[in-house]
Amino acid sequence: MALLQQKALANYEEQQGKNAAFEDFLRHFKSSASETEDALDELHLDGDSDEYDFMDDTEAGADRAQANRKSTRSKEKYMNMLQDVAEREKSQVLIDLGDLEQYERSLDEEAALSLNLVLSVERNANHYIEIFSRAVDKVIPAPTTDTNFKDDVIDIIMTQRSKRNENVRQQMESTTDGPIPESIFPPELTRRYTLNFKPIAPSGSSSEKGSKALAVRQVRGEHLGHLITVRGITTRVSDVKPSVQVNAYSCDTCGHEIFQPITAKQFTPLVECQSEDCQKNGAKGQLYLSTRASKFLPFQEVKIQEMADQVPVGHIPRQLT
């Protein structure tokens, strides 16, 4: 009797190609706004005049300084955004799926059909947040200014973590190709940004099913993990609370740092140290939670209710959290 075969939910060979496509998208995508600015700069609309006015010199100097500042920045939309993140001016990376769709259309038809970038993100948004974050880690430019006393404490901590990871990797490459030590910081603890997706704005006149905003009663179990747009009335909004993403512990015996990724609302904190030193010595070191070294994300719950025109006659409006 042959065993049942189930198709895999993800093709990881194609995933490698998508990672390269995401990196290329972040590096080279130009928004229509930046292209319009380039076209206007080439037109030279400021005509020359024979009349002299000292105010023209002042305005020309200011325009020249502004043009110099613009010229130092790249024309790519997301590289400018990542440069601001590297300079500690922004802490959020917002990926517009409309831009990703525009980039996908610029590819040849065969590559676009094989990658299906926008559709893949919409069907498994939580997974692709991590995939896109890895692409951001590879293409993010280096900061032009070092941290100083004016920066936040978390900025200084993350800078020290990144330098420590680089030193550890250089030591590993120079000695032997061994496994990554337990003390190295995971990527979640060295990222200063929060990555989110902006869905494609639904069109009411579109005939496509996936392009319309859903009603509350249309949300089903098949939409779990998908990036969808729901139309409703907000009835309650909770306070913004910290949601832990990675817990950091320190051992009182060996001094190692242990990291625990958190993927659910409920979890069991670690108690005993599992480092190699404690296992070799047979010591059961006690772990202590370090909240400053842990990673938290802002968390908020919103409760929405059906619109009046979405409720069938004789039914009660449904709610969704």
Side-chain angles (χ1 to χ4, degrees), residues 161 165 169 182-191 246-247 258-261:
R161 289 173 178 173
N165 284 356
R169 290 192 178 95
E182 297 179 356
S183 59
I184 199 169
F185 290 102
E188 293 82 2
L189 294 180
T190 57
R191 294 170 183 160
V246 179
N247 262 343
I258 307 297
F259 306 105
Q260 179 190 18

Side-chain angles (χ1 to χ4, degrees), residues 167-198:
N167 295 333
V168 171
R169 290 192 178 95
Q170 290 176 359
Q171 293 176 1
M172 291 172 56
E173 293 175 357
S174 60
T175 55
T176 57
D177 296 334
I180 299 178
E182 297 179 356
S183 59
I184 199 169
F185 290 102
E188 293 82 2
L189 294 180
T190 57
R191 294 170 183 160
R192 190 191 173 276
Y193 59 87
T194 302
L195 190 140
N196 292 306
F197 292 120
K198 180 182 178 182

Side-chain angles (χ1 to χ4, degrees), residues 149-181:
F149 66 94
K150 295 182 179 180
D151 294 321
D152 294 335
V153 177
I154 190 65
D155 293 333
I156 299 175
I157 292 177
M158 288 188 175
T159 303
Q160 293 175 348
R161 289 173 178 173
S162 300
K163 292 182 179 179
R164 176 181 169 183
N165 284 356
E166 292 179 2
N167 295 333
V168 171
R169 290 192 178 95
Q170 290 176 359
Q171 293 176 1
M172 291 172 56
E173 293 175 357
S174 60
T175 55
T176 57
D177 296 334
I180 299 178

